[in-house]
Amino acid sequence: MTRENLRYQAKDGIATITLARPDVLNSMNTALARELQQVLDEAAGASDVRALLLTGEGRAFCAGQDLAEVVPPDGSKGPELRSVIDQNYNPIVRRIVALEKPVVCAVNGVAAGAGANLALCCDIVLAAKNASFLQAFVNIGLIPDSGGTYFLPRLLGLPRAKALMMLGERIPAEQALAFGLIWAVHEPERLLPEAQALAAKLAAMPTLALGLIKRATNASLEGTLASQLDLERDLQALAGQSYDYAEGVKAFQEKRKPRFLGR
Ligand code: T3D
C-alpha cells in the first residue's frame, strides 16, 4: 500500500502514525485522509498492536483541511465540502473513537481546524510546550467539524467551547492544559519520548479492559446513570472473563507485578 503522506510503524505493541506533509503543516488532503483510515484499520486488526501513537512531522501537528485542495489556487473546482467530511474526516473520527485500543496523541506543534479535533478525539493527548490549538474554521467562514461541536462542549463546558469555536483564536498548550482539554504538556524535546513511554505503558496494560473503558466512556456521553450502571455490569462481566483479570488478581495476591497479555 502506498503511504506517501504519513509514516506507519508497528513495533513492540505500539503502532506509531506520523502525519508527514510538513511543508504544508501536515494539512489534510484526501490522500492523507485515506492513508490514515487505512493504517487505523491495520492497527485495529493487528492483535499484536495494543496502543497507538499519533503525531506529526516538522513544526506542526496538523493545520486541518488542505485549503489548496478544496479551493484550488488555479480557480478549478475542488471537491464538495459535504463529501470531504463524509469520506475523509468522519470515517477517521469514527475509527479512532470506536477503536478499542488506547490512542495517544502527541501534538508537536500547531493543531488547527480539523487537525485540532483530530487530536482531541484521541484518548490521551500530550502537547509540546510550543504547540497550540485553534478552532480555525470560523476564520475562513466555516463551522467546526470532525466532532468539534460534540467534543468541545463536553470537554470544556459551553462558555469556553463557544468562545473557542466562535473566536477562532489560537490557545497555547499550557492554556489547553489549564482548560482540561489535554492531559499533559512537555518540553518540545521531551514530547516524543514521553508519548512513547506512555504508549508503551498502555501497551503493557490489560488491553481488553482499556477497550471496554473506552466503550463505556463513549456511551456515558449519551447515556443516563441507569443506562451506565447496566452497561458497567455487562462490560465488567466481560472483563471478568479475561486472562488479564485472572492474572491481575493472582499477581496482587502473590505480591508481584502482573504480566498482562491483552486478552
Ligand atoms: O473540506 C472542507 O474544507 C471542510 C473541512 C474543513 C476542515 C478544516 O480543517 S477547515 C480549517 C482549515 N485550516 C485552516 O483554516 C488553518 C489555516 N492555517 C493557518 O491558519 C495557519 O497556517 C496556522 C495558524 C495553522 C499556522 O500559522 P503559521 O504562521 O505558523 O504558518 P503559515 O505561514 O500560515 O503556514 C506555513 C505554510 O503552510 C504556508 O505555506 P507557504 O507560504 O510556506 O508555502 C501555508 O500556506 C501552509 N498551510 C498552512 N495551513 C494550511 C496550509 N496549506 C494548506 N492548507 C492549510 N490548512
Side-chain angles (χ1 to χ4, degrees), residues 25 27 59 63-67 70 81 84 113-114 134 137 145 170:
L25 307 189
S27 59
R59 73 177 178 92
Q65 172 61 38
D66 182 339
L67 296 173
V70 280
L81 303 195
V84 172
L134 162 74
F137 308 86
D145 58 27
R170 200 163 166 165

Side-chain angles (χ1 to χ4, degrees), residues 21-25 27-28 59-60 62-70 79-82 84-85 89 110-115 132 134 136-137 139-140 142-143 145-146 170:
R21 305 182 74 224
D23 293 348
V24 284
L25 307 189
S27 59
M28 185 78 67
R59 73 177 178 92
C62 174
Q65 172 61 38
D66 182 339
L67 296 173
E69 181 179 60
V70 280
E80 297 292 337
L81 303 195
R82 171 182 287 274
V84 172
I85 291 174
Y89 294 105
V110 64
S132 55
L134 162 74
F137 308 86
N139 299 338
I140 54 167
L142 293 181
I143 68 156
D145 58 27
S146 304
R170 200 163 166 165

